[in-house]
Amino acid sequence: MPKQVDHRERRESIARALWRVVEQRGVAHLSLREVAQEAGISHGALQHYFASREAMLSFAMDFASEQATLRVGRGLQELGDRPHPRDVLRVMLTEMLPLHADARATSRMSAAYVLEALHNKTIHAQAHRGMAQGRVLVEQLVRQAIADGHIRPDRDPVTETNLLLALTGFTPLIELDVIEPQEALTAIDQYLDRLFTRNDHGQGQEAERSR
Amino acid sequence: MPKQVDHRERRESIARALWRVVEQRGVAHLSLREVAQEAGISHGALQHYFASREAMLSFAMDFASEQATLRVGRGLQELGDRPHPRDVLRVMLTEMLPLHADARATSRMSAAYVLEALHNKTIHAQAHRGMAQGRVLVEQLVRQAIADGHIRPDRDPVTETNLLLALTGFTPLIELDVIEPQEALTAIDQYLDRLFTRNDHGQGQEAERSR
């Protein structure tokens, strides 16, 4: 049992080294050799944990999603019992943006594996699965919010879900310093206020009237 | 003069070869040697046109923006004289998404150079400049649309501009087949209908009343 934990821990520390390589030196340097060097282990030792570049990348992607899920979970816990769906969506969206060191690492990994997916079917399938699962969660939330009267009943849940996920498009704008992180948060809040009935008085009243 | 045209043409054909390398084999293969091979010329011949990987990438980025600008220009011409700002924004947004072969190539280049920018200051500055210029154009359009009564006067032009640009976040969703291109277009149309007063009856009436 402790041996298995060690194995897992070592794989995670290699995954973190891989993230640093992507972040500091770029995807072009994403080889077993470079990652071994960054992790401070020999090439041979790394091969004990990952047989191929693809296996390593695949684990690092899953680990990045897990870490993002954990961060969202912690954010949701802070919201207390029965949080408002607007606040739940805000946590989910903001944890996908490069707004602090951990989220930056997983966001950059995500951008790297979207590019890798373009010419690698295994990575494409894995990245598709992860993103599609996230999409299902958001759609469930949106449908429930419509059923509970938090979102106007005339909104289409599929389209609203797609628009919410598209807001991760703030990522390159933040990474290239075209907009400030605070501007992205302001825009997301503005967007959520308009989507949900409670803070948008014009639409809120309309929703009230239509009930 | 003809010699200069030849030089430019040859550089453009090398840039297109570079796009194909990014698209088909990934950023990890983005070296002078790989691009020379894809362009069907010798490594030495390529170096006659580009002294370094960075110079080649920098040209390929500028060429991708130029091509995207030309596509937008053609799309705008089809709208005729005095097009509605909603239609102008729709052309700008959709040409940034990977919805057809040319747009896919420039969109993938764009994703690649955002990653490259993370660890290369020159590329960062160039990518920042390109995206910031695009942002200025969109903000001018939004401000004019507010002044002309096409967008409700209580909308903040900076936030609306940032939200519009964030919608390029459909790119990874389309690339990973999480949503269909048609779903992205439906969502963009829905979004623009709500932003502009003409097609959204609820908000349109409110805008009428407030005048």
Side-chain angles (χ1 to χ4, degrees), chain A residues 21-59:
Chain A
V21 169
V22 170
E23 201 162 341
Q24 290 157 17
R25 277 177 277 168
V27 198
H29 290 272
L30 199 53
S31 64
L32 288 170
R33 201 166 295 277
E34 290 269 345
V35 173
Q37 200 181 341
E38 176 66 34
I41 60 178
S42 72
H43 188 205
L46 187 132
Q47 283 178 313
H48 173 66
Y49 295 97
F50 299 106
S52 67
R53 180 179 179 278
E54 192 175 284
M56 176 179 72
L57 185 57
S58 168
F59 177 82

Side-chain angles (χ1 to χ4, degrees), chain A residues 31 52 109 133 143 204:
Chain A
S31 64
S52 67
M109 262 308 290
Q133 281 168 354
R143 284 187 185 277

Side-chain angles (χ1 to χ4, degrees), chain A residues 29-132:
Chain A
H29 290 272
L30 199 53
S31 64
L32 288 170
R33 201 166 295 277
E34 290 269 345
V35 173
Q37 200 181 341
E38 176 66 34
I41 60 178
S42 72
H43 188 205
L46 187 132
Q47 283 178 313
H48 173 66
Y49 295 97
F50 299 106
S52 67
R53 180 179 179 278
E54 192 175 284
M56 176 179 72
L57 185 57
S58 168
F59 177 82
M61 278 169 60
D62 279 344
F63 184 52
S65 320
E66 278 169 38
Q67 290 300 305
T69 305
L70 282 175
R71 287 201 312 273
V72 169
R74 280 195 296 270
L76 296 185
Q77 267 191 329
E78 285 172 23
L79 297 178
D81 290 345
R82 299 174 51 83
H84 193 283
R86 181 198 180 285
D87 302 327
V88 174
L89 278 174
R90 189 181 194 275
V91 168
M92 292 173 85
L93 281 176
T94 53
E95 281 301 337
M96 288 169 80
L97 298 179
L99 298 175
H100 54 83
D102 288 349
R104 205 151 33 232
T106 52
S107 158
R108 288 172 178 183
M109 262 308 290
S110 171
Y113 69 64
V114 171
L115 273 178
E116 191 82 10
L118 300 180
H119 53 93
N120 181 324
K121 279 187 187 170
T122 313
I123 299 291
H124 191 284
Q126 188 180 348
H128 167 90
R129 212 161 42 240
M131 213 175 274

